[in-house]
Amino acid sequence: MSREQARRVLEQAQRIAVATHIAPDADALSSAIGLTLILRRLGKEAVAFCDDDLPPRLKTLPHADEIGRTAHGSFDLRVSLDASDPSRLGQAFRGLESLPLLNIDHHVTNIGFGTINWVEPAAVATAEMVLWLADDLGVALDPELASLLLAGIVGDTLGLRTPNVTPQVLREVVRLMEAGASLAALVDTLFNRRSLAALRLFGQALAGVQMEDGVVWTVITREMRAASGLHHANDLSLSSFLIGTEEARIAAVFTERDDGQVEVSLRARPGYDVARVALAFGGGGHPPAAGCLVPGPLEAVVPRLLAALKAAAQGETDGKAP
Ligand code: AMP
Ligand code: MN
Ligand code: MN
């Protein structure tokens, strides 16, 4: 139903501003840029925005260098991609608040902030939903579009390794590869590259790891970041690594930002739910992978979150793999 509405509202629009979430990941950028390519193929004007710096690894995605931070120009529709609440868009849509907003996302915690909301928690990535849209709109895949959409799917499934990767997803991957996307190149860019500075910070954070009541966690302070020379530390994939700890059911990484707020990156084993904890602290995500941004200081945030995480690590949710 809302997939149908999404197609219709996109067909009717002529000048479209597309935005994705701050601290962008591969799914965020690829779904936003991918949708603009689809709309341009239909003869429309479409521009992508992300109100944040792009991690170096994502600057190699097709058309990533054309992304603006804040929408400027004249538009008749806003589209939000991969963002579960409007604060995740930063100032991308500043000044365009009166325009209708199409909200396309796959986070179970999406608060439905659009004029039209198309939210599919069963989709492995927002990029997968954009692939469905391309099909609905009759736009054929080309190598650039296929690479972008595969980047989103590969990024959010950790290289096609998460439990939600079904035969249908793999058939979509085959289509994208046949259209010209390189799975090997994307896996290499998204997962096999880390700067020496990032590696050292990763090691230092790993050395400080703690474990209590099924929760494994570590802290990255401002001082650690400054010493490493890394301005942003949200591209380390450290929480995904920590959840591999045999004894843990939940993993958390607390990163102190320059403004004192604390970024919390959460992971859970199948059957446990960190999306609910993240939502309770103003964030969001998926049951096995979620996050939130909490006002500091660090010393106050860590114990508050740990109490909630330890409770979540006690209760199996519904026993089903998310
Ligand atoms: P990350 O730990 O950064 O890889 O994020 C894991 C998941 O949680 C992704 O789906 C993010 O979109 C989501 N997420 C992370 N931080 C936030 C936040 N502050 N608010 C809402 N969702 C978030
Ligand atoms: Mn994302
Ligand atoms: Mn996503």
Side-chain angles (χ1 to χ4, degrees), residues 163-183:
N164 54 359
V165 175
T166 59
Q168 184 198 314
V169 174
L170 291 180
R171 281 191 286 271
E172 292 165 349
V173 170
V174 169
R175 275 185 64 202
L176 294 166
M177 291 177 74
E178 285 175 345
S182 167
L183 178 60

Side-chain angles (χ1 to χ4, degrees), residues 77-97:
L77 178 68
R78 295 178 290 164
V79 186
S80 166
L81 286 154
D82 202 44
S84 55
D85 70 68
S87 74
R88 294 281 283 161
L89 298 175
Q91 300 295 309
F93 285 145
R94 189 178 57 203
L96 302 181
E97 290 78 10

Side-chain angles (χ1 to χ4, degrees), residues 118-198:
W118 178 30
V119 179
E120 300 266 13
V124 294
T126 303
E128 185 187 20
M129 299 171 70
V130 173
L131 172 63
W132 302 340
L133 263 180
D135 292 342
D136 291 355
L137 289 163
V139 170
L141 297 171
D142 62 23
E144 275 191 345
L145 180 56
S147 298
L148 284 163
L149 300 185
L150 189 57
I153 290 173
V154 167
D156 268 19
T157 60
L158 308 180
L160 309 178
R161 292 182 302 147
T162 50
N164 54 359
V165 175
T166 59
Q168 184 198 314
V169 174
L170 291 180
R171 281 191 286 271
E172 292 165 349
V173 170
V174 169
R175 275 185 64 202
L176 294 166
M177 291 177 74
E178 285 175 345
S182 167
L183 178 60
L186 288 169
V187 167
D188 194 50
T189 318
L190 298 180
F191 301 107
N192 295 349
R193 318 247 126 222
R194 201 174 256 135
S195 67
L196 186 61

